[in-house]
Amino acid sequence: MQLPIKRTIERVPGGLMIVPMIIGAVIVTLFPHAGEFFGSFTRALFTGSLPILAVFYVCMGATIEVRSLPRVLRRGGFLMATKILLGIAAAFVLGHLIGVQPVKTGWFAGLSTLAVVAALNDTNGGLYMALLGKYGTTEEAAAYSVMSLESGPFFTMVTLGVAGLSSFPWQTLLGAILPLCVGIVLGNLDSEIREFLGGAVMPMIPFFAFALGATLDLHRLWAAGLLGVALGAAVVLFSAPALAMVDRLFGGKGTAGIAAATTAGNASAVPVLVAAADSHYSEAAGPATVLVAASVIVTAMLAPPLTAWWARRVTKTTVIQAKTEKAEYPVSAD
């Protein structure tokens, strides 16, 4: 008998990331010493998110084709730059208001600058390409080959550094992007390696997601979940207008910008990676992981209807303008 396990998981927005993460969190919350009890490879799976992520980024880098970058650099580059600038703006404001540590009490308990920057910086690539495949052009969908460079903790580290909230040595910054760069080089030198490594990207997501979940405390999940909903809504409301405006300035209709106003599933891993590089963020990493995971789901639910509405609006406006021009300048029958 076959069970549609994978299909069921994928019905949840970001399900391959979110569901294993929740399973890991539930197991560790109910059985906090499960990893130590079984030891060996099982213990490694409960605690080994960083090595798995290192391999994940090598495999993801292999899928990025350098030769395709010039064609889509203009569109994707400006959208990526806008997301990074939004993250820097948020880091400046929140860094001034709350600093590096998470909020301790009240409605915003658990919220941190790290959580907001991580949620803003990385676009949900699968959702973006699916939406642009339906409501945009092939060039707009291909722009994600540039935007995928957002993946990983590098730009979050840069953002926090620019905002004066951290100082990462150049070796740490290079180390954050080195696996991705190695993958890009290997994938572009040999198409067979690209196919080989690229095929491992999706299967690895549930494993590092489980390991990340095993670091979370579900006793604070309810409060963080509600705050995570607010964070996801804020990501869309804050970034969609800016991204749509930039998209229109550089030849688009704004549709690609709205479709990019999401949080990627692998952004949930960024707080842990940043904390591993700078211990000042250790306290913020756990709550930030939960908040970013919630933002993944919320943005994945809000972006599609918003993108569809905007696409209909733009199409309707274009039709009305065409009819107006035809009425003003009728074609002569002579």
Side-chain angles (χ1 to χ4, degrees):
M1 181 179 68
Q2 295 291 306
L3 298 176
I5 298 174
K6 179 174 178 289
R7 191 180 308 166
T8 302
I9 291 175
E10 289 178 333
R11 289 175 182 169
V12 179
L16 285 177
M17 178 82 189
I18 302 302
V19 173
M21 183 185 292
I22 292 175
I23 292 173
V26 169
I27 292 175
V28 170
T29 301
L30 296 177
F31 310 102
H33 302 293
E36 290 82 354
F37 179 80
F38 290 104
S40 189
F41 299 119
T42 301
R43 183 179 184 277
L45 186 58
F46 274 77
T47 59
S49 61
L50 293 182
I52 301 174
L53 281 164
V55 179
F56 171 78
Y57 285 119
V58 173
C59 295
M60 175 174 279
T63 66
I64 300 173
E65 293 189 54
V66 172
R67 65 182 181 184
S68 70
L69 297 185
R71 298 199 311 269
V72 294
L73 184 60
R74 185 166 175 260
R75 183 69 56 81
F78 282 113
L79 287 177
M80 183 179 73
T82 302
K83 293 209 74 171
I84 293 170
L85 289 174
L86 289 173
I88 291 173
F92 269 113
V93 173
L94 292 175
H96 177 73
L97 293 176
I98 64 177
V100 171
Q101 300 303 319
V103 177
K104 304 293 185 183
T105 59
W107 289 99
F108 296 100
L111 183 68
S112 63
T113 305
L114 175 61
V116 175
V117 173
L120 276 171
N121 265 0
D122 202 348
T123 299
N124 187 326
L127 182 60
Y128 173 86
M129 289 186 286
L131 290 172
L132 270 298
K134 184 173 183 180
Y135 300 111
T137 65
T138 302
E139 180 182 313
E140 287 175 326
Y144 185 70
S145 60
V146 175
M147 296 168 66
S148 62
L149 296 173
E150 299 167 335
S151 299
F154 177 75
F155 283 115
T156 298
M157 290 180 178
V158 171
T159 297
L160 295 171
V162 171
L165 300 178
S166 188
S167 179
F168 296 97
W170 70 266
Q171 299 96 321
T172 301
L173 290 173
L174 178 61
I177 199 172
L178 194 56
L180 190 73
C181 292
V182 169
I184 292 173
V185 172
L186 290 174
N188 283 274
L189 288 176
D190 188 342
S191 60
E192 291 185 3
I193 288 183
R194 176 186 299 124
E195 184 179 354
F196 173 68
L197 294 178
V201 171
M202 296 303 290
M204 292 189 69
I205 291 176
F207 294 100
F208 75 70
F210 178 88
L212 286 174
T215 66
L216 301 178
D217 180 4
L218 284 184
H219 292 107
R220 293 178 291 178
L221 181 60
W222 179 248
L226 292 175
L227 188 58
V229 171
L231 175 60
V235 166
V236 175
L237 293 175
F238 181 53
S239 62
L243 289 165
M245 180 181 68
V246 169
D247 185 35
R248 298 192 73 170
L249 283 174
F250 293 96
K253 296 180 180 179
T255 310
I258 294 175
T262 56
T263 302
N266 57 32
S268 303
V270 169
V272 172
L273 294 171
V274 172
D278 187 342
S279 59
H280 290 96
Y281 290 96
S282 297
E283 188 176 348
T289 300
V290 177
L291 289 173
V292 175
S295 181
V296 173
I297 297 175
V298 173
T299 57
M301 294 175 67
L302 293 179
L306 187 60
T307 303
W309 167 78
W310 182 262
R312 288 194 300 268
R313 183 176 180 274
V314 171
T315 301
K316 184 177 179 181
T317 302
T318 303
V319 171
I320 292 174
Q321 289 177 345
K323 289 182 177 178
T324 302
E325 291 175 359
K326 186 176 181 180
E328 291 178 353
Y329 305 101
V331 179
S332 175
D334 296 335

